[in-house]
Amino acid sequence: MLMPATTEFISLCQSQVALLTQTLGAALAVVYLAEELTEDAIAQLVPVVAYPDLLADWKADRLLSLLTRNRAMPQNPMVLASGEGKNYQPPLSSPTNPNPVRPNPSAPHFEDEPLLAEASFELPLHVVLPLVHEDVAVGLLVTARTDRPWTDQEQEQIEQIADTLAIACALDQKAQWLGHDLQQQRQFCAQQRDHLDDLLHQFRNPLTALRTFGKLILRRLLPGDDQRQFAESIVRESDRLQDLLEQFDRVIDAEEPLLLPSPYVSLDAAPVSVPVALPPARHIMGDDLPLSPYSLYAVLSPILDTAQAIAQDRQIHLQIERSDQQFPVLLNPKAFGEIVNNLIDNALKYTPRGGSVLIQSGLRRAASTGMMQGVAIADTGPGIPPQDLEHLFERHYRGVQAQTAIPGTGLGLAIAQDLAQQMNGLIEVVSPVLSSVWIDEDLFPTTADHPGTLTILWLPEAGAIE
């Protein structure tokens, strides 16, 4: 069933019926809407607005039978209105609105039903027009007068009234559909939020235990112990998880995203709401990232400890190259850590067992804003096809990798690039590795089967950005 007609639409119908009775001198005017849609296109019509009052209880076939009592009356009033052999398929509509139009008392009107029943209506004293929008009939307009036939100009005006009512009815239904759909979307989002709240709450307990165990192990290891760096990594990564958990809380507590309706909805189709896309990386780290000068390798060094342990576990050779010349770089440590962790994770994930990953810091190049310093991560993985390179920073894009068993969401590079740009930097991706001037073939050999991928994070050196 379609939504009941709103008060706004009823008011419009009343104004149009008043126009017919007061201006054009109609003795009766009734606006019908289709109540349901059936496969044989025979729609039940109910009056929404009627003048005089007694017609508010009359069904369309009864009134049309009276108006055309000397002619054969089809079973479907919509067929009578539109012409024989042409069937419309009106959608479902609203029940009768009890508020009738009260035209000017001087306009012709009927005192009671017997007088109406005895009145003589001969063509062209009455006009019956379907309310049609986008080839779909949504109702019927019936009007008549007893003193004179309708002129051509008056009939054109009645047709304009019918067109206005048809369009208004369609827009009224669409607006209600969209409102109902929006309410459902909000309810669904609320359920998702409750579920996420539950998961995050359960996540806190094991995270707290992990941090506690890491700190206890760290206290029992003497300085210089070979195992101490692993305990420090456990504490550092658990602190990182704790920080991300707090960011989750801030995002959830923020105002929920708006759900906008699609720009076009067909009258006979369910509407679709489209959520507004927001840049999630900015919400993870905040809208403004404070930047300060740091030694690039000093910020990178703790991340390399974790990468070394993962590479060892996966039997991947991790090679680390550090330039002797180090210049302070403007960066945000947390954002820098997220970027590099994403890039290293990709390199280790796509490198096969027995392969190699190279992490090289201290690369330098000139830019329009000054000198930039880079961290390069190269791997001996399958490489990236040329058709995928231009889409790498699109959210959820995985290209040919989506057809493999390697898990992924297609979000890592998109988030990393967004954070890099917030630090006035950028990420460069090259595949195969040896097509870049930054990697020496003797330093990092690749094969035809494993051409590899190179990603470089470029950030401005201190003093390059005022």
Side-chain angles (χ1 to χ4, degrees):
M1 297 296 291
L2 292 186
M3 305 291 183
T6 62
T7 56
E8 290 80 7
F9 177 69
I10 297 297
S11 297
L12 176 64
C13 292
Q14 291 173 337
S15 66
Q16 298 304 299
V17 169
L19 177 63
L20 289 170
T21 57
Q22 295 182 24
T23 304
L24 300 181
L28 66 85
V30 185
V31 178
Y32 292 95
L33 291 184
E35 188 177 41
E36 60 182 357
L37 178 64
T38 58
E39 294 181 357
D40 58 4
I42 299 178
Q44 295 295 325
L45 298 172
V46 294
V48 177
V49 174
Y51 175 81
D53 296 355
L54 61 93
L55 294 182
D57 297 328
W58 282 42
K59 292 185 177 180
D61 54 356
R62 181 182 179 187
L63 179 59
L64 293 175
S65 177
L66 172 64
L67 296 178
T68 59
R69 64 182 183 275
N70 296 324
R71 303 175 60 192
M73 176 63 189
Q75 291 182 344
N76 186 0
M78 302 298 285
V79 177
L80 172 67
S82 59
E84 292 184 6
K86 186 177 182 181
N87 292 332
Y88 291 96
Q89 299 205 1
L92 308 180
S93 184
S94 62
T96 303
N97 182 276
N99 298 323
V101 173
R102 303 285 184 179
N104 191 320
S106 62
H109 63 281
F110 299 96
E111 297 295 340
D112 49 34
E113 182 176 344
L115 180 61
L116 178 63
E118 294 173 1
S120 174
F121 293 96
E122 298 294 340
L123 292 175
L125 297 184
H126 72 270
V127 177
V128 180
L129 291 176
L131 307 182
V132 180
H133 180 69
E134 296 179 349
D135 296 328
V136 176
V138 298
L140 201 65
L141 172 64
V142 181
T143 187
R145 64 186 180 189
T146 60
D147 54 346
R148 63 191 184 280
W150 302 100
T151 66
D152 291 342
Q153 183 178 1
E154 289 173 335
Q155 291 192 31
E156 290 180 1
Q157 190 170 357
I158 296 174
E159 291 176 359
Q160 292 177 357
I161 291 174
D163 291 340
T164 299
L165 293 175
I167 295 173
C169 178
L171 294 177
D172 183 58
Q173 291 296 315
K174 289 179 182 179
Q176 293 188 75
W177 279 336
L178 293 173
H180 178 70
D181 184 66
L182 179 59
Q183 182 180 7
Q184 288 186 324
Q185 290 286 344
R186 291 188 182 279
Q187 291 176 350
F188 178 72
C189 288
Q191 292 175 352
Q192 283 188 317
R193 175 171 174 172
D194 290 342
H195 183 57
L196 183 59
D197 284 339
D198 294 342
L199 291 176
L200 292 178
H201 179 75
Q202 297 175 17
F203 180 77
R204 287 184 176 88
N205 291 335
L207 174 60
T208 301
L210 179 64
R211 297 178 69 221
T212 302
F213 291 147
K215 291 178 180 180
L216 290 175
I217 294 174
L218 188 61
R219 291 175 185 174
R220 298 183 182 184
L221 296 175
L222 298 176
D225 193 309
D226 294 338
Q227 304 301 317
R228 188 176 179 85
Q229 64 173 348
F230 297 111
E232 291 175 345
S233 297
I234 292 174
V235 175
R236 182 176 61 254
E237 293 302 316
S238 61
D239 287 340
R240 179 185 170 207
L241 288 176
Q242 180 65 37
D243 183 64
L244 289 174
L245 186 59
E246 293 175 358
Q247 299 295 337
F248 266 121
D249 290 335
R250 283 195 287 270
V251 171
I252 292 176
D253 291 339
E255 183 178 358
E256 64 182 73
L258 294 176
L259 292 174
L260 296 183
S262 57
Y264 175 79
V265 181
S266 176
L267 182 62
D268 55 355
V272 177
S273 291
V274 180
V276 176
L278 297 175
R282 296 186 182 274
H283 289 275
I284 292 175
M285 292 295 167
D287 292 331
D288 297 317
L289 292 179
L291 306 179
S292 300
Y294 286 90
S295 168
L296 192 62
Y297 193 78
V299 184
L300 181 64
S301 181
I303 300 174
L304 298 180
D305 293 338
T306 302
Q308 190 72 262
I310 296 175
Q312 182 178 354
D313 179 66
R314 298 181 183 178
Q315 299 181 20
I316 296 173
H317 174 63
L318 180 62
Q319 183 178 352
I320 299 174
E321 297 290 336
R322 174 185 176 186
S323 172
D324 293 333
Q325 293 183 342
Q326 295 289 330
F327 300 89
V329 177
L330 284 175
L331 57 81
N332 179 279
K334 291 183 179 180
F336 177 84
E338 286 299 320
I339 297 172
V340 175
N341 273 299
N342 269 316
L343 301 184
I344 294 177
D345 178 70
N346 280 344
L348 294 174
K349 182 167 58 177
Y350 292 108
T351 300
R353 189 180 299 270
S356 299
V357 170
L358 169 67
I359 301 177
Q360 185 175 358
S361 66
L363 304 180
R364 298 187 75 210
R365 77 173 188 184
S368 59
T369 55
M371 295 300 296
M372 301 190 77
Q373 197 168 150
V375 177
I377 297 98
D379 63 65
T380 56
I384 301 173
Q387 65 270 20
D388 287 346
L389 282 172
E390 58 184 284
H391 301 288
L392 288 181
F393 299 109
E394 297 177 8
R395 292 178 61 80
H396 299 292
Y397 184 86
R398 297 195 65 208
V400 296
Q401 296 302 332
Q403 304 172 8
T404 68
I406 301 176
T409 61
L411 292 174
L413 283 177
I415 293 175
Q417 183 74 302
D418 185 82
L419 292 173
Q421 291 173 352
Q422 291 184 67
M423 293 189 292
N424 303 305
L426 59 91
I427 295 176
E428 179 183 357
V429 180
V430 180
S431 186
V433 168
L434 296 184
S435 61
S436 172
V437 299
W438 301 103
I439 299 298
D440 187 351
E441 183 176 359
D442 296 333
L443 181 65
F444 193 69
T446 58
T447 65
D449 294 335
H450 298 282
T453 301
L454 169 67
T455 55
I456 306 176
L457 168 62
W458 294 103
L459 294 173
E461 291 183 355
I465 301 293
E466 296 183 357

mmCIF file of all heavy atoms in Angstrom, residues 229-230 232-238 240 300-314 318 320 341 344 348 359:
data_model
loop_
_atom_site.group_PDB
_atom_site.id
_atom_site.type_symbol
_atom_site.label_atom_id
_atom_site.label_comp_id
_atom_site.label_asym_id
_atom_site.label_seq_id
_atom_site.Cartn_x
_atom_site.Cartn_y
_atom_site.Cartn_z
ATOM 1 N N GLN A 229 63.625 -6.008 23.297
ATOM 2 C CA GLN A 229 62.993 -5.256 22.213
ATOM 3 C C GLN A 229 61.622 -5.831 21.840
ATOM 4 O O GLN A 229 60.713 -5.104 21.438
ATOM 5 C CB GLN A 229 63.895 -5.244 20.981
ATOM 6 C CG GLN A 229 64.133 -6.613 20.353
ATOM 7 C CD GLN A 229 64.882 -6.508 19.037
ATOM 8 O OE1 GLN A 229 65.027 -5.427 18.482
ATOM 9 N NE2 GLN A 229 65.362 -7.642 18.540
ATOM 10 N N PHE A 230 61.457 -7.153 22.031
ATOM 11 C CA PHE A 230 60.156 -7.756 21.736
ATOM 12 C C PHE A 230 59.108 -7.332 22.772
ATOM 13 O O PHE A 230 57.955 -7.071 22.434
ATOM 14 C CB PHE A 230 60.275 -9.274 21.683
ATOM 15 C CG PHE A 230 61.168 -9.768 20.582
ATOM 16 C CD1 PHE A 230 62.392 -10.360 20.870
ATOM 17 C CD2 PHE A 230 60.798 -9.616 19.261
ATOM 18 C CE1 PHE A 230 63.221 -10.806 19.853
ATOM 19 C CE2 PHE A 230 61.627 -10.057 18.240
ATOM 20 C CZ PHE A 230 62.844 -10.647 18.530
ATOM 21 N N GLU A 232 59.239 -4.556 24.482
ATOM 22 C CA GLU A 232 58.959 -3.144 24.195
ATOM 23 C C GLU A 232 57.997 -3.007 23.020
ATOM 24 O O GLU A 232 57.124 -2.132 23.006
ATOM 25 C CB GLU A 232 60.269 -2.413 23.912
ATOM 26 C CG GLU A 232 61.176 -2.268 25.136
ATOM 27 C CD GLU A 232 62.517 -1.651 24.791
ATOM 28 O OE1 GLU A 232 62.843 -1.615 23.574
ATOM 29 O OE2 GLU A 232 63.246 -1.215 25.710
ATOM 30 N N SER A 233 58.146 -3.876 22.026
ATOM 31 C CA SER A 233 57.244 -3.840 20.865
ATOM 32 C C SER A 233 55.822 -4.202 21.267
ATOM 33 O O SER A 233 54.849 -3.624 20.760
ATOM 34 C CB SER A 233 57.742 -4.794 19.778
ATOM 35 O OG SER A 233 59.006 -4.395 19.285
ATOM 36 N N ILE A 234 55.689 -5.172 22.191
ATOM 37 C CA ILE A 234 54.350 -5.553 22.660
ATOM 38 C C ILE A 234 53.676 -4.372 23.345
ATOM 39 O O ILE A 234 52.502 -4.056 23.082
ATOM 40 C CB ILE A 234 54.437 -6.753 23.626
ATOM 41 C CG1 ILE A 234 54.884 -7.997 22.863
ATOM 42 C CG2 ILE A 234 53.083 -6.995 24.301
ATOM 43 C CD1 ILE A 234 55.130 -9.200 23.764
ATOM 44 N N VAL A 235 54.402 -3.676 24.198
ATOM 45 C CA VAL A 235 53.839 -2.527 24.903
ATOM 46 C C VAL A 235 53.524 -1.404 23.923
ATOM 47 O O VAL A 235 52.460 -0.764 23.992
ATOM 48 C CB VAL A 235 54.811 -2.029 25.993
ATOM 49 C CG1 VAL A 235 54.273 -0.760 26.649
ATOM 50 C CG2 VAL A 235 55.021 -3.110 27.047
ATOM 51 N N ARG A 236 54.461 -1.156 22.981
ATOM 52 C CA ARG A 236 54.256 -0.068 22.016
ATOM 53 C C ARG A 236 53.029 -0.331 21.128
ATOM 54 O O ARG A 236 52.198 0.556 20.906
ATOM 55 C CB ARG A 236 55.495 0.088 21.146
ATOM 56 C CG ARG A 236 55.371 1.245 20.154
ATOM 57 C CD ARG A 236 56.646 1.444 19.355
ATOM 58 N NE ARG A 236 56.985 0.259 18.566
ATOM 59 C CZ ARG A 236 57.969 -0.572 18.858
ATOM 60 N NH1 ARG A 236 58.744 -0.345 19.927
ATOM 61 N NH2 ARG A 236 58.230 -1.621 18.122
ATOM 62 N N GLU A 237 52.885 -1.551 20.628
ATOM 63 C CA GLU A 237 51.750 -1.863 19.758
ATOM 64 C C GLU A 237 50.433 -1.884 20.528
ATOM 65 O O GLU A 237 49.386 -1.507 19.998
ATOM 66 C CB GLU A 237 51.975 -3.212 19.067
ATOM 67 C CG GLU A 237 53.118 -3.206 18.069
ATOM 68 C CD GLU A 237 52.924 -2.167 16.977
ATOM 69 O OE1 GLU A 237 51.793 -2.055 16.444
ATOM 70 O OE2 GLU A 237 53.891 -1.443 16.669
ATOM 71 N N SER A 238 50.480 -2.309 21.796
ATOM 72 C CA SER A 238 49.252 -2.267 22.592
ATOM 73 C C SER A 238 48.857 -0.822 22.896
ATOM 74 O O SER A 238 47.666 -0.492 22.934
ATOM 75 C CB SER A 238 49.435 -3.060 23.894
ATOM 76 O OG SER A 238 50.470 -2.507 24.693
ATOM 77 N N ARG A 240 49.422 1.588 20.832
ATOM 78 C CA ARG A 240 48.862 2.029 19.554
ATOM 79 C C ARG A 240 47.406 1.583 19.418
ATOM 80 O O ARG A 240 46.543 2.341 18.969
ATOM 81 C CB ARG A 240 49.708 1.471 18.420
ATOM 82 C CG ARG A 240 49.218 1.839 17.036
ATOM 83 C CD ARG A 240 50.045 1.147 15.990
ATOM 84 N NE ARG A 240 49.449 1.284 14.659
ATOM 85 C CZ ARG A 240 49.613 0.416 13.680
ATOM 86 N NH1 ARG A 240 50.352 -0.663 13.870
ATOM 87 N NH2 ARG A 240 49.051 0.609 12.507
ATOM 88 N N LEU A 300 61.266 6.151 12.748
ATOM 89 C CA LEU A 300 61.112 4.905 11.994
ATOM 90 C C LEU A 300 61.645 3.689 12.749
ATOM 91 O O LEU A 300 61.121 2.579 12.608
ATOM 92 C CB LEU A 300 61.838 5.039 10.650
ATOM 93 C CG LEU A 300 61.794 3.857 9.697
ATOM 94 C CD1 LEU A 300 60.366 3.585 9.248
ATOM 95 C CD2 LEU A 300 62.697 4.124 8.484
ATOM 96 N N SER A 301 62.670 3.870 13.554
ATOM 97 C CA SER A 301 63.375 2.752 14.192
ATOM 98 C C SER A 301 62.473 1.800 14.985
ATOM 99 O O SER A 301 62.550 0.583 14.817
ATOM 100 C CB SER A 301 64.492 3.291 15.087
ATOM 101 O OG SER A 301 65.194 2.223 15.689
ATOM 102 N N PRO A 302 61.563 2.295 15.876
ATOM 103 C CA PRO A 302 60.706 1.356 16.610
ATOM 104 C C PRO A 302 59.786 0.553 15.694
ATOM 105 O O PRO A 302 59.474 -0.611 15.989
ATOM 106 C CB PRO A 302 59.892 2.272 17.539
ATOM 107 C CG PRO A 302 60.666 3.540 17.623
ATOM 108 C CD PRO A 302 61.327 3.689 16.303
ATOM 109 N N ILE A 303 59.366 1.145 14.587
ATOM 110 C CA ILE A 303 58.495 0.435 13.653
ATOM 111 C C ILE A 303 59.255 -0.705 12.993
ATOM 112 O O ILE A 303 58.698 -1.781 12.734
ATOM 113 C CB ILE A 303 57.952 1.414 12.585
ATOM 114 C CG1 ILE A 303 57.157 2.530 13.265
ATOM 115 C CG2 ILE A 303 57.099 0.700 11.554
ATOM 116 C CD1 ILE A 303 56.700 3.634 12.313
ATOM 117 N N LEU A 304 60.547 -0.502 12.746
ATOM 118 C CA LEU A 304 61.351 -1.526 12.100
ATOM 119 C C LEU A 304 61.527 -2.753 12.987
ATOM 120 O O LEU A 304 61.662 -3.876 12.487
ATOM 121 C CB LEU A 304 62.725 -0.954 11.715
ATOM 122 C CG LEU A 304 62.695 0.203 10.709
ATOM 123 C CD1 LEU A 304 64.120 0.670 10.408
ATOM 124 C CD2 LEU A 304 61.992 -0.223 9.433
ATOM 125 N N ASP A 305 61.539 -2.575 14.304
ATOM 126 C CA ASP A 305 61.648 -3.726 15.207
ATOM 127 C C ASP A 305 60.471 -4.679 15.011
ATOM 128 O O ASP A 305 60.642 -5.895 14.944
ATOM 129 C CB ASP A 305 61.701 -3.252 16.665
ATOM 130 C CG ASP A 305 62.973 -2.496 16.975
ATOM 131 O OD1 ASP A 305 63.968 -2.682 16.243
ATOM 132 O OD2 ASP A 305 62.976 -1.709 17.948
ATOM 133 N N THR A 306 59.262 -4.108 14.921
ATOM 134 C CA THR A 306 58.084 -4.941 14.709
ATOM 135 C C THR A 306 58.113 -5.582 13.334
ATOM 136 O O THR A 306 57.793 -6.768 13.171
ATOM 137 C CB THR A 306 56.805 -4.093 14.859
ATOM 138 O OG1 THR A 306 56.780 -3.497 16.156
ATOM 139 C CG2 THR A 306 55.565 -4.951 14.677
ATOM 140 N N ALA A 307 58.512 -4.806 12.315
ATOM 141 C CA ALA A 307 58.585 -5.347 10.955
ATOM 142 C C ALA A 307 59.584 -6.491 10.878
ATOM 143 O O ALA A 307 59.346 -7.491 10.184
ATOM 144 C CB ALA A 307 58.968 -4.232 9.981
ATOM 145 N N GLN A 308 60.699 -6.376 11.592
ATOM 146 C CA GLN A 308 61.715 -7.431 11.586
ATOM 147 C C GLN A 308 61.162 -8.721 12.160
ATOM 148 O O GLN A 308 61.413 -9.825 11.637
ATOM 149 C CB GLN A 308 62.931 -6.963 12.389
ATOM 150 C CG GLN A 308 64.154 -7.854 12.277
ATOM 151 C CD GLN A 308 64.826 -7.762 10.936
ATOM 152 O OE1 GLN A 308 64.587 -8.604 10.075
ATOM 153 N NE2 GLN A 308 65.651 -6.734 10.737
ATOM 154 N N ALA A 309 60.395 -8.608 13.240
ATOM 155 C CA ALA A 309 59.830 -9.802 13.863
ATOM 156 C C ALA A 309 58.809 -10.469 12.936
ATOM 157 O O ALA A 309 58.775 -11.705 12.827
ATOM 158 C CB ALA A 309 59.170 -9.420 15.187
ATOM 159 N N ILE A 310 57.965 -9.672 12.269
ATOM 160 C CA ILE A 310 56.966 -10.244 11.357
ATOM 161 C C ILE A 310 57.652 -10.908 10.168
ATOM 162 O O ILE A 310 57.259 -11.999 9.736
ATOM 163 C CB ILE A 310 56.005 -9.144 10.878
ATOM 164 C CG1 ILE A 310 55.213 -8.578 12.059
ATOM 165 C CG2 ILE A 310 55.045 -9.677 9.820
ATOM 166 C CD1 ILE A 310 54.331 -7.395 11.696
ATOM 167 N N ALA A 311 58.673 -10.244 9.610
ATOM 168 C CA ALA A 311 59.394 -10.814 8.472
ATOM 169 C C ALA A 311 60.055 -12.130 8.846
ATOM 170 O O ALA A 311 60.035 -13.105 8.070
ATOM 171 C CB ALA A 311 60.437 -9.808 7.972
ATOM 172 N N GLN A 312 60.644 -12.182 10.033
ATOM 173 C CA GLN A 312 61.286 -13.417 10.486
ATOM 174 C C GLN A 312 60.269 -14.545 10.623
ATOM 175 O O GLN A 312 60.533 -15.687 10.238
ATOM 176 C CB GLN A 312 61.992 -13.165 11.821
ATOM 177 C CG GLN A 312 62.737 -14.380 12.362
ATOM 178 C CD GLN A 312 63.458 -14.066 13.675
ATOM 179 O OE1 GLN A 312 63.488 -12.912 14.102
ATOM 180 N NE2 GLN A 312 64.020 -15.083 14.293
ATOM 181 N N ASP A 313 59.081 -14.218 11.139
ATOM 182 C CA ASP A 313 58.054 -15.232 11.306
ATOM 183 C C ASP A 313 57.566 -15.760 9.955
ATOM 184 O O ASP A 313 57.229 -16.945 9.827
ATOM 185 C CB ASP A 313 56.883 -14.646 12.100
ATOM 186 C CG ASP A 313 55.757 -15.640 12.297
ATOM 187 O OD1 ASP A 313 55.965 -16.647 12.998
ATOM 188 O OD2 ASP A 313 54.657 -15.413 11.737
ATOM 189 N N ARG A 314 57.551 -14.908 8.941
ATOM 190 C CA ARG A 314 57.066 -15.311 7.616
ATOM 191 C C ARG A 314 58.186 -15.764 6.693
ATOM 192 O O ARG A 314 57.968 -16.007 5.514
ATOM 193 C CB ARG A 314 56.315 -14.143 6.963
ATOM 194 C CG ARG A 314 55.088 -13.702 7.743
ATOM 195 C CD ARG A 314 54.371 -12.556 7.052
ATOM 196 N NE ARG A 314 53.232 -12.099 7.832
ATOM 197 C CZ ARG A 314 52.440 -11.084 7.494
ATOM 198 N NH1 ARG A 314 52.681 -10.425 6.347
ATOM 199 N NH2 ARG A 314 51.423 -10.724 8.255
ATOM 200 N N LEU A 318 64.346 -9.287 5.393
ATOM 201 C CA LEU A 318 64.120 -7.846 5.536
ATOM 202 C C LEU A 318 65.463 -7.143 5.548
ATOM 203 O O LEU A 318 66.311 -7.385 6.414
ATOM 204 C CB LEU A 318 63.354 -7.530 6.828
ATOM 205 C CG LEU A 318 63.062 -6.054 7.090
ATOM 206 C CD1 LEU A 318 62.180 -5.474 5.983
ATOM 207 C CD2 LEU A 318 62.403 -5.863 8.444
ATOM 208 N N ILE A 320 67.426 -3.460 5.647
ATOM 209 C CA ILE A 320 67.236 -2.073 6.070
ATOM 210 C C ILE A 320 68.467 -1.271 5.685
ATOM 211 O O ILE A 320 69.593 -1.629 6.042
ATOM 212 C CB ILE A 320 66.979 -1.988 7.591
ATOM 213 C CG1 ILE A 320 65.707 -2.762 7.960
ATOM 214 C CG2 ILE A 320 66.868 -0.532 8.024
ATOM 215 C CD1 ILE A 320 65.464 -2.855 9.437
ATOM 216 N N ASN A 341 53.426 1.839 8.738
ATOM 217 C CA ASN A 341 52.913 0.507 9.083
ATOM 218 C C ASN A 341 52.061 -0.066 7.950
ATOM 219 O O ASN A 341 52.137 -1.258 7.646
ATOM 220 C CB ASN A 341 52.094 0.571 10.371
ATOM 221 C CG ASN A 341 52.953 0.422 11.614
ATOM 222 O OD1 ASN A 341 53.617 -0.585 11.820
ATOM 223 N ND2 ASN A 341 52.962 1.460 12.448
ATOM 224 N N ILE A 344 54.533 -1.014 5.019
ATOM 225 C CA ILE A 344 55.311 -2.221 5.339
ATOM 226 C C ILE A 344 54.405 -3.445 5.368
ATOM 227 O O ILE A 344 54.782 -4.530 4.898
ATOM 228 C CB ILE A 344 56.048 -2.043 6.676
ATOM 229 C CG1 ILE A 344 57.114 -0.950 6.564
ATOM 230 C CG2 ILE A 344 56.680 -3.358 7.127
ATOM 231 C CD1 ILE A 344 57.845 -0.660 7.860
ATOM 232 N N LEU A 348 55.060 -6.860 3.153
ATOM 233 C CA LEU A 348 55.201 -8.182 3.754
ATOM 234 C C LEU A 348 54.059 -9.114 3.345
ATOM 235 O O LEU A 348 54.253 -10.326 3.202
ATOM 236 C CB LEU A 348 55.250 -8.062 5.278
ATOM 237 C CG LEU A 348 56.470 -7.338 5.858
ATOM 238 C CD1 LEU A 348 56.316 -7.150 7.363
ATOM 239 C CD2 LEU A 348 57.751 -8.118 5.550
ATOM 240 N N ILE A 359 63.739 -1.731 3.127
ATOM 241 C CA ILE A 359 63.292 -0.467 3.701
ATOM 242 C C ILE A 359 64.494 0.469 3.713
ATOM 243 O O ILE A 359 65.499 0.195 4.370
ATOM 244 C CB ILE A 359 62.731 -0.642 5.121
ATOM 245 C CG1 ILE A 359 61.551 -1.618 5.105
ATOM 246 C CG2 ILE A 359 62.304 0.708 5.699
ATOM 247 C CD1 ILE A 359 60.982 -1.915 6.477
#
